[in-house]
């Protein structure tokens, strides 16, 4: 299919660089945001973290934000 692009994202490695493998999903989300700028803004995702993450887990949001940014920065535009 020509409407699908496969992108290699080193999500686990990006997460491990921040000291945890549990943030790989944030790296993948960051990459998706970079490759799909019309989907949702990174600012909206950043703001949503404090709303959707449970109070007891918000302590991890600073690391989640770093991993999100790393994922965003790790990819280049996919050729059309």
């Amino acid at each position: 299919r020509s409407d699908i692009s496969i992108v290699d994202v080193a999500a686990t490695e990006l997460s491990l660089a921040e000291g945890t493998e549990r943030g790989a999903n944030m790296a993948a989300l960051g990459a998706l945001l970079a490759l799909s700028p019309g989907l949702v803004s990174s600012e909206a995702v950043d703001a949503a973290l404090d709303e959707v993450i449970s109070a007891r887990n918000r302590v991890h949001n600073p690391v989640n934000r770093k991993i999100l940014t790393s994922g965003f920065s790790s990819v280049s535009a996919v050729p059309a």
Side-chain angles (χ1 to χ4, degrees):
R1 292 178 45 177
S2 62
D3 61 330
I4 297 174
S5 298
I6 297 173
V7 179
D8 184 27
V9 179
T12 301
E13 289 81 3
L14 292 169
S15 182
L16 286 171
E18 294 299 333
T20 180
E21 66 183 13
R22 297 191 72 187
N25 59 329
M26 297 304 292
L29 178 58
L32 177 64
L33 293 174
L35 297 171
S36 305
L39 186 62
V40 65
S41 72
S42 56
E43 293 83 9
V45 172
D46 182 63
L49 282 178
D50 291 326
E51 294 180 32
V52 299
I53 303 297
S54 67
R56 71 180 177 94
N57 286 319
R58 284 188 197 127
V59 66
H60 304 294
N61 280 354
V63 172
N64 284 334
R65 286 181 172 97
K66 286 182 183 179
I67 297 168
L68 183 74
T69 300
S70 295
F72 191 97
S73 300
S74 73
V75 294
S76 302
V78 175

